[in-house]
Amino acid sequence: CGKTTLLNIISGLITPSEGRVLFNGDDVTHRPTAERNIAQVFQFPVIYDTMTVAQNLAFPLRNRNVPNVEVEKRVAEVARMLDLTPIMGKRARGLTADVKQKVSLGRGLVRPDVNAILFDEPLTVIDPHLKWQLRSKLKELHRQLNLTMVYVTHDQTEALTFADKVVVMYEGEVVQIGTPEELFERPAHTFVGYFIGSPGMNVAPVALTGNRARLGTQEIPLAQSYGGLPSGAKIELGIRPEFIRVSSNGRGVAGRVLRVDDVGRYRVVKLDLDGHAFSAIASEDAEIGGDRANVVLDPRNIHIYADGRLVEGKPLAAGAA
């Protein structure tokens, strides 16, 4: 989708065909990587096998003629943060892949004066438990040093737990920038709705008339009215499973229960609504009997999309239904 390409444009490894790259308002689009003062951590370890762990961590500083006292201080700080202190004297050649990647992370973090640190899926080779620890430590370091960190990942959990702002890319284009809450509550593109959240947002084609959406043969009320939609556009309704309630009183849209997955704190109800697959979140004690059900879609949390992009509606007048 272009995540790594964008990272390489920021670092100067690739020159963009159009547009500019600004660091604090300073145009660096045509400056070489060496002049951008960035650190980059790649998906797989990039370290010197013949050097010790300590020498690898110190290399970026020594390469810039940082005084020895400062080098030793920074290397010791980063080693403590990444739990590398016990192996500082070991040569990198004999280390496991995940430990090598920790050293590679340390090399990116050791310089306190960088404009930005770029991470390209750096935790791919790290085991899941250590991943969680390292994410927490990177976030802690971000708070301490207030450095700009650009972190590329395809893991939505990693993005949502790690980032202050998330940039979602799809087919080489940025489709939304926002906080994790903004991406969850108001996806600007159907891909964002599908990708962010588990289960992802339900998306189905509908026909619109004012503040009514027709799904197959059934009508769904909306909280806004829609008009002037692009001619020939694919119109879709999107709603997250959290905002669909399985009804026991016959209200709402009639559907068929395909299966119920118990995931501990709640259940995920898989439904067929007029030939379209939907998921709904139900509490553990919700009564779901037989294979027929009615579901109520919360109008306030229904989004309308034209060719995948969010469409703004007009709020209904007071008393309208």
Side-chain angles (χ1 to χ4, degrees), residues 257-268:
V257 177
L258 302 177
R259 72 170 193 269
V260 179
D261 297 331
D262 194 331
V263 294
R265 293 179 293 109
Y266 57 86
R267 290 187 286 175
V268 179

Side-chain angles (χ1 to χ4, degrees), residues 185-187 201 226 236-239 301-305 310:
E185 293 173 3
R186 195 170 175 76
M201 185 174 72
Y226 295 85
E236 294 171 297
L237 171 152
I239 184 169
N301 290 288
I302 293 175
H303 303 295
I304 298 299
Y305 298 88
L310 184 65

Side-chain angles (χ1 to χ4, degrees), residues 215-266:
L215 177 69
T217 60
Q218 306 194 71
E219 205 170 69
I220 300 169
L222 306 174
Q224 295 182 312
S225 178
Y226 295 85
L229 294 172
S231 176
K234 181 181 181 181
I235 306 301
E236 294 171 297
L237 171 152
I239 184 169
R240 291 202 176 275
E242 289 82 357
F243 304 119
I244 298 180
R245 181 168 54 85
V246 180
S247 170
S248 57
N249 60 12
R251 289 181 58 237
V253 179
R256 185 163 58 92
V257 177
L258 302 177
R259 72 170 193 269
V260 179
D261 297 331
D262 194 331
V263 294
R265 293 179 293 109
Y266 57 86

Side-chain angles (χ1 to χ4, degrees), residues 5-282:
T5 300
L6 181 60
L7 210 63
N8 289 335
I9 286 172
I10 295 171
S11 70
L13 295 176
I14 295 175
T15 302
S17 52
E18 53 184 274
R20 296 185 300 156
V21 180
L22 305 179
F23 285 9
N24 291 325
D26 186 17
D27 191 339
V28 300
T29 311
H30 298 289
R31 284 191 200 165
T33 301
E35 291 182 16
R36 298 191 185 200
N37 195 25
I38 52 95
Q40 191 159 0
V41 180
F42 296 91
Q43 185 172 358
F44 298 102
V46 179
I47 58 175
Y48 297 105
D49 277 353
T50 56
M51 291 184 182
T52 64
V53 171
Q55 289 168 336
N56 265 288
L57 293 177
F59 184 81
L61 299 176
R62 297 203 185 283
N63 201 35
R64 287 163 179 78
N65 298 314
V66 175
N68 282 338
V69 173
E70 182 64 22
V71 170
E72 290 172 7
K73 179 185 173 186
R74 286 294 302 160
V75 167
E77 285 176 359
V78 171
R80 275 196 304 273
M81 188 191 75
L82 296 173
D83 299 321
L84 294 171
T85 306
I87 60 167
M88 293 292 274
K90 286 190 175 181
R91 292 198 181 278
R93 182 184 289 117
L95 303 177
T96 60
D98 62 334
V99 177
K100 282 184 177 182
Q101 187 64 323
K102 285 173 70 177
V103 177
S104 187
L105 280 169
R107 281 164 50 92
L109 297 169
V110 76
R111 289 171 53 203
D113 63 334
V114 292
N115 283 320
I117 306 176
L118 312 182
F119 299 92
D120 191 0
E121 301 195 45
L123 303 185
T124 300
V125 297
I126 307 291
D127 72 74
H129 178 65
L130 188 57
K131 253 185 199 182
W132 184 85
Q133 290 180 323
L134 285 176
R135 274 206 304 264
S136 300
K137 287 180 178 179
L138 285 172
K139 196 154 181 92
E140 181 185 334
L141 187 77
H142 179 257
R143 290 195 192 101
Q144 288 174 359
L145 301 180
N146 199 29
L147 289 172
T148 296
M149 296 182 178
V150 182
Y151 190 104
V152 161
T153 179
H154 63 271
D155 183 330
Q156 57 144 305
T157 302
E158 197 162 76
L160 296 176
T161 56
F162 186 67
D164 299 315
K165 280 265 179 99
V166 182
V167 178
V168 182
M169 298 190 71
Y170 178 64
E171 293 186 345
E173 183 182 354
V174 172
V175 291
Q176 189 168 2
I177 302 173
T179 64
E181 291 79 10
E182 288 167 346
L183 268 58
F184 181 84
E185 293 173 3
R186 195 170 175 76
H189 193 280
T190 51
F191 174 76
V192 179
Y194 168 78
F195 184 66
I196 302 295
S198 182
M201 185 174 72
N202 299 294
V203 179
V206 293
L208 283 185
T209 305
N211 68 321
R212 291 286 189 272
R214 182 166 291 280
L215 177 69
T217 60
Q218 306 194 71
E219 205 170 69
I220 300 169
L222 306 174
Q224 295 182 312
S225 178
Y226 295 85
L229 294 172
S231 176
K234 181 181 181 181
I235 306 301
E236 294 171 297
L237 171 152
I239 184 169
R240 291 202 176 275
E242 289 82 357
F243 304 119
I244 298 180
R245 181 168 54 85
V246 180
S247 170
S248 57
N249 60 12
R251 289 181 58 237
V253 179
R256 185 163 58 92
V257 177
L258 302 177
R259 72 170 193 269
V260 179
D261 297 331
D262 194 331
V263 294
R265 293 179 293 109
Y266 57 86
R267 290 187 286 175
V268 179
V269 185
K270 302 289 186 179
L271 301 147
D272 180 305
L273 304 183
D274 253 292
H276 301 286
F278 274 71
S279 295
I281 301 293

